[in-house]
Amino acid sequence: MTSSVNPKDAPSAAPLGFQNHDHRACVAGALATAESRCAADGLRLTPVRRKVLELLLQEHRALGAYAILDLLREAGFGSQPPVAYRALEFLVENGFVHKVERLNAFVACAHPGRMHSPAFMICRLCEAVAEAPSAPARGAFGAAARAAGFQIERTVVEAEGVCPSCAAKGDA
Amino acid sequence: MTSSVNPKDAPSAAPLGFQNHDHRACVAGALATAESRCAADGLRLTPVRRKVLELLLQEHRALGAYAILDLLREAGFGSQPPVAYRALEFLVENGFVHKVERLNAFVACAHPGRMHSPAFMICRLCEAVAEAPSAPARGAFGAAARAAGFQIERTVVEAEGVCPSCAAKGDA
DNA sequence: CGCTACTTGTCATGATATTACATTTCAGTT
DNA sequence: AACTGAAATGTAATATCATGACAAGTAGCG
Ligand SMILES: [Zn+2]
Ligand SMILES: [Zn+2]
Ligand SMILES: [Zn+2]
Ligand SMILES: [Zn+2]
């Protein structure tokens, strides 16, 4: 969602998505969405899972599993890798979190509640990650896949580059 | 059309990966291309590097760094991880090999000699990997990136699914 | 309650990747 | 041919990412 870059919010030292936004609302909304959808679908958003989602939403950037694990430990949860990986598995399976393959890291979904195939823009300078909608199965690639007889089930689309904030710093 | 797998060994007009093709020519041609381009550009296609490229071309699928390392050891080269990773780094930097992020594995480039941004189709059943041309910076995603002010430098486009060969087996 | 499925905590291990440093090879120069 | 600096290689050690196995706790249910 890149409809408009709205500078109304905090000038912020925030490595957020790329545009400023009301991050408290962004976090609270996503958590609420996750809770209601879990309730609706009979999924169990347990304390660990909820905490991991909350951490990823608050950071608003991609975190490695071990970084998450450190934060979990600080919050009093288990500190062994499977604790983090299992929570992440649940969150990824149910679309609340995406894995960024390029970084071997995880990021909270920016468009929860809707089925979608994510595309990411990853700043190589500040490591900010923005999620854009994508429809890779349409377009030239999808046509090539159909021509080859390949049935696409899942796609990874990740662009590495420089975010507007870092570009401004660098050029200035 | 051309979606059917041709059982005879036809010269590959499209080195697309899932269809049959003259693999000996495919390997020899790619090696020759690599050699001539290295000669032209003053790059050193040393024995280890050439061997890694040859292994990837012959396998014609994605191999993990440690699988490559095993093959290198069998061929009498060094057997420590940096040996493989350094050869792969050279080959990736110079466009002879791509990394498949989704698999943490490497595959020989199917369109060497031309600057391009690869897109992959990965069969989850047989692990075949086909490379298609891609232009992700065009289309909706590129538009989103421009709208966000993000400068794309490199893209990862990988589709996971079922290749025509496995689909035929499964459906039949 | 007792049963079951699921979740969590933990230890151990496996898989992927990099750092550091000594040695060798190579291209260009003397 | 011998010298030299840059590049490449060999090797040990370590760092980072991820999973397997099993015991213990917990929610839902007859
Ligand atoms: Zn936010
Ligand atoms: Zn940035
Ligand atoms: Zn081939
Ligand atoms: Zn297949």
Side-chain angles (χ1 to χ4, degrees):
Chain A
M1 176 104 47
T2 58
S3 51
S4 67
V5 176
N6 194 337
K8 78 179 176 187
D9 225 78
S12 113
L16 306 171
F18 296 147
Q19 64 248 15
N20 290 342
H21 62 281
D22 183 344
H23 192 47
R24 276 204 322 283
C26 154
V27 171
L31 270 177
T33 300
E35 271 172 352
S36 61
R37 196 155 76 71
C38 283
D41 295 2
L43 302 170
R44 294 173 58 187
L45 190 62
T46 61
V48 196
R49 294 167 176 174
R50 197 193 137 97
K51 186 66 183 177
V52 170
L53 179 56
E54 187 188 333
L55 289 168
L56 285 172
L57 287 165
Q58 279 179 348
E59 292 285 338
H60 218 294
R61 63 196 174 93
L63 292 180
Y66 280 68
I68 291 166
L69 190 54
D70 288 342
L71 296 170
L72 281 180
R73 176 171 23 239
E74 286 171 20
F77 294 91
S79 61
Q80 300 302 312
V83 174
Y85 280 102
R86 284 191 293 230
L88 289 166
E89 179 183 36
F90 170 88
L91 294 168
V92 169
E93 263 175 9
N94 295 109
F96 301 120
V97 164
H98 302 297
K99 179 168 187 181
V100 184
E101 299 288 346
R102 172 71 181 150
L103 303 176
N104 293 323
F106 300 84
V107 68
C109 177
H111 316 102
R114 323 182 19 137
M115 199 42 188
H116 64 283
S117 154
F120 297 106
M121 293 176 273
I122 307 163
C123 178
R124 68 172 159 80
L125 298 175
C126 68
E127 299 197 322
V129 175
E131 180 181 348
S134 94
R138 290 193 276 280
F141 184 55
R146 276 188 296 278
F150 183 82
Q151 301 169 7
I152 295 178
E153 291 173 350
R154 183 179 175 279
T155 58
V156 173
V157 177
E158 300 175 3
E160 201 173 359
V162 179
C163 76
S165 167
C166 289
K169 282 178 215 148
D171 290 345
Chain B
M1 66 158 278
T2 72
S3 60
S4 63
V5 175
N6 194 333
K8 73 185 174 190
D9 227 84
S12 57
L16 199 61
F18 294 144
Q19 63 226 33
N20 290 342
H21 63 282
D22 182 344
H23 192 46
R24 276 203 322 282
C26 155
V27 171
L31 270 178
T33 299
E35 270 172 353
S36 60
R37 196 155 76 71
C38 283
D41 295 2
L43 302 170
R44 293 172 59 186
L45 190 61
T46 61
V48 195
R49 293 167 177 175
R50 198 194 136 96
K51 186 66 182 177
V52 170
L53 179 56
E54 187 189 332
L55 290 168
L56 285 171
L57 286 165
Q58 278 179 348
E59 292 285 339
H60 218 294
R61 63 196 174 93
L63 292 180
Y66 280 71
I68 291 167
L69 189 54
D70 288 343
L71 296 170
L72 282 180
R73 175 171 24 236
E74 287 172 19
F77 294 91
S79 62
Q80 298 300 314
V83 174
Y85 280 103
R86 284 192 291 230
L88 289 166
E89 179 183 35
F90 170 88
L91 294 168
V92 169
E93 265 176 8
N94 295 109
F96 302 119
V97 164
H98 303 297
K99 178 168 187 182
V100 183
E101 298 288 346
R102 171 69 181 151
L103 303 175
N104 293 323
F106 300 84
V107 69
C109 177
H111 315 101
R114 322 182 18 137
M115 198 44 189
H116 64 282
S117 154
F120 297 105
M121 292 176 271
I122 307 162
C123 178
R124 67 172 159 79
L125 297 175
C126 68
E127 300 197 321
V129 174
E131 179 181 349
S134 94
R138 289 194 276 280
F141 183 55
R146 277 189 295 278
F150 183 81
Q151 302 169 5
I152 295 178
E153 293 173 347
R154 182 182 175 280
T155 58
V156 173
V157 177
E158 299 174 4
E160 201 173 0
V162 179
C163 76
S165 166
C166 289
K169 283 177 213 146
D171 289 344

